[in-house]
Amino acid sequence: MKTSKTILIIVLTIVGVVIMAAVGLIASGEYLNRKSKRELTQLVSELGPGTSFALVKLRLGEPSQIYTNSEEIEGFGTTKDKSVTTNCLLFKFFIRRSIPFRWVLIYTDRNTNAVVYADWQDV
């Protein structure tokens, strides 16, 4: 009788530990997701309209992808605003700072090379 009680206590303890670990993993994932969104929102606001592309490259490094035609810009970007997509280039910077990985999208004027629109998106 004592042996079965001991086994039951051990099994329940193991199940409790597994459940607590799963809850901790989910909570830490949510925390990292929200932290990443806050950081990217702040970064994008600092690289807003009028910022020179040279400053963007200084902050983010070299772009991972560049889109030049309006169809690609609309397809791979976050805005469908024709005033942005027809007169701009889209530069996508892959952000590896923390999980989850995300893109920072910088739309620049073709003539002045200044930022017209900045945003971010999930990979």
Side-chain angles (χ1 to χ4, degrees):
M1 188 72 169
K2 274 187 162 179
T3 305
S4 61
K5 280 185 177 181
T6 304
I7 291 173
L8 180 63
I9 290 172
I10 291 171
V11 168
L12 290 175
T13 302
I14 291 171
V15 168
V17 167
V18 168
I19 290 171
M20 289 179 63
V23 168
L25 186 62
I26 291 168
S28 65
E30 280 298 312
Y31 169 77
L32 289 174
N33 188 28
R34 289 183 181 162
K35 179 182 175 195
S36 176
K37 283 182 180 180
R38 279 193 311 271
E39 289 172 353
L40 281 173
T41 301
Q42 176 65 32
L43 176 63
V44 166
S45 71
E46 293 171 4
L47 300 174
T51 305
S52 74
F53 189 67
L55 180 61
V56 170
K57 285 177 63 174
L58 186 64
R59 294 280 309 271
L60 301 176
E62 290 296 320
S64 302
Q65 297 176 359
I66 303 169
Y67 299 98
T68 58
N69 73 46
S70 59
E71 293 83 25
E72 287 180 337
I73 292 171
E74 286 183 23
F76 294 104
T78 56
T79 185
K80 307 297 183 221
D81 183 353
K82 296 288 185 191
S83 67
V84 173
T85 60
T86 56
N87 299 319
C88 291
L89 301 172
L90 170 59
F91 298 90
K92 291 179 86 171
F93 297 86
F94 186 64
I95 304 299
R96 296 179 184 89
R97 292 182 188 152
S98 65
I99 296 174
F101 300 127
R102 300 219 162 94
W103 294 105
V104 171
L105 287 73
I106 302 294
Y107 296 80
T108 62
D109 183 88
R110 289 179 188 269
N111 300 319
T112 65
N113 217 21
V115 174
V116 174
Y117 182 75
D119 202 358
W120 64 270
Q121 72 182 164
D122 292 318
V123 171

